[in-house]
Amino acid sequence: MRILLVDAAGQSRTTTASWLEMLRGDHFVEVTASGAEALALLDNDKPPELVLVDSQLADMNLFEFLHRVKAHVIAPKLVMIAPILNESLLVAARAAGADHGIEKSRLHIELPRLL
């Protein structure tokens, strides 16, 4: 499975990417810090099947990003990750196209079930 991690926060991105590499198995992990770069990666010849996107993108609105990914011809599964995940954020993210939402502190518990 091809996984794309989109997270503007350097330390969080590094920690999550390291954990994904350990979990990896037959997964290929790409990492980017920006929504624009992630959207460009959707157009390559091997787009990701799963996108993990942080709730706080530096270069664009999260909900705009989710809409644009879901409008893509080959839309991947979208998982929003957030430092704190409350019900209103989860509902808004799902309305914008997220398939799942996971609080970052629970990523190691919940993400393996989605893979």
Side-chain angles (χ1 to χ4, degrees), residues 1-8 13 16-17 19-21 23 29-35 38 42 48-55 57 62 65-66 69 76-82 100-102 104 107-108 110-112 114-115:
M1 172 182 279
R2 296 180 67 80
I3 300 171
L4 175 59
L5 170 63
V6 187
D7 192 340
R13 184 175 60 247
T16 304
W19 179 76
L20 286 169
E21 288 294 328
L23 177 72
V29 181
E30 286 185 90
V31 180
T32 181
S34 76
L42 292 177
E49 298 162 87
L50 173 69
V51 175
L52 293 172
V53 60
D54 185 68
S55 61
L57 295 175
L62 169 69
F65 176 83
L66 294 171
V69 171
K77 184 181 288 186
L78 268 169
V79 178
M80 179 200 55
I81 54 177
H100 301 281
I102 301 174
K104 285 186 176 184
L107 194 61
H108 66 287
E110 295 183 31
L111 184 60
L114 299 177
L115 301 176

Side-chain angles (χ1 to χ4, degrees), residues 20-104:
L20 286 169
E21 288 294 328
M22 288 188 309
L23 177 72
R24 190 170 157 173
D26 63 345
H27 308 302
F28 175 75
V29 181
E30 286 185 90
V31 180
T32 181
S34 76
E37 187 178 342
L39 291 170
L41 290 172
L42 292 177
D43 292 326
N44 70 25
D45 60 336
K46 293 185 180 182
E49 298 162 87
L50 173 69
V51 175
L52 293 172
V53 60
D54 185 68
S55 61
Q56 300 168 355
L57 295 175
D59 64 334
M60 72 175 49
N61 177 282
L62 169 69
F63 307 113
E64 173 191 348
F65 176 83
L66 294 171
H67 278 296
R68 290 178 65 182
V69 171
K70 277 303 181 178
H72 202 269
V73 174
I74 303 174
K77 184 181 288 186
L78 268 169
V79 178
M80 179 200 55
I81 54 177
I84 297 173
L85 184 59
N86 60 46
E87 188 65 25
S88 62
L89 177 58
L90 182 58
V91 168
R94 285 190 172 152
D99 296 297
H100 301 281
I102 301 174
E103 194 161 300
K104 285 186 176 184

